[in-house]
Amino acid sequence: MARVVFTGDLIRQFGTNELTVPARSVKELIQALSQQCPDAADNLMEMAISIDGEIHQQAFLEKLSEEAEVCFIPPIGAG
């Protein structure tokens, strides 16, 4: 099961800063999280994703190990 760590607005949307989700790929992970919190689905697809400390800009097809730690990284706004 992947350990998902949330930051920023995602903590508020999911009601926690960490979840454990059964998923073998980022695609499965996003589908499971989208079912749990439909309002966050679009946001999740737009974020960079860190898998075990390695940042991926387009991680949708990346595989996840049983012990994977996944962090969703919100876009940095320019000001």
Side-chain angles (χ1 to χ4, degrees):
M1 291 217 237
R3 184 170 69 104
V4 183
V5 178
F6 298 113
T7 60
D9 288 340
L10 290 177
I11 294 173
R12 185 174 33 81
Q13 288 180 305
F14 284 93
T16 185
N17 66 334
E18 189 174 303
L19 286 175
T20 303
V21 180
R24 294 179 301 209
S25 69
V26 171
K27 178 182 178 181
E28 287 181 13
L29 179 69
I30 290 175
Q31 289 172 339
L33 293 172
S34 296
Q35 288 177 349
Q36 189 168 9
C37 185
D39 293 340
D42 289 337
N43 291 338
L44 295 174
M45 293 296 294
E46 295 175 5
M47 294 184 181
I49 298 173
S50 169
I51 303 170
D52 296 327
E54 184 178 336
I55 297 174
H56 301 267
Q57 293 297 325
Q58 298 178 354
F60 197 66
L61 298 177
E62 293 291 326
K63 301 291 181 200
L64 299 174
S65 70
E66 285 288 319
E67 303 85 28
E69 178 183 83
V70 179
C71 300
F72 287 88
I73 305 166
I76 298 172

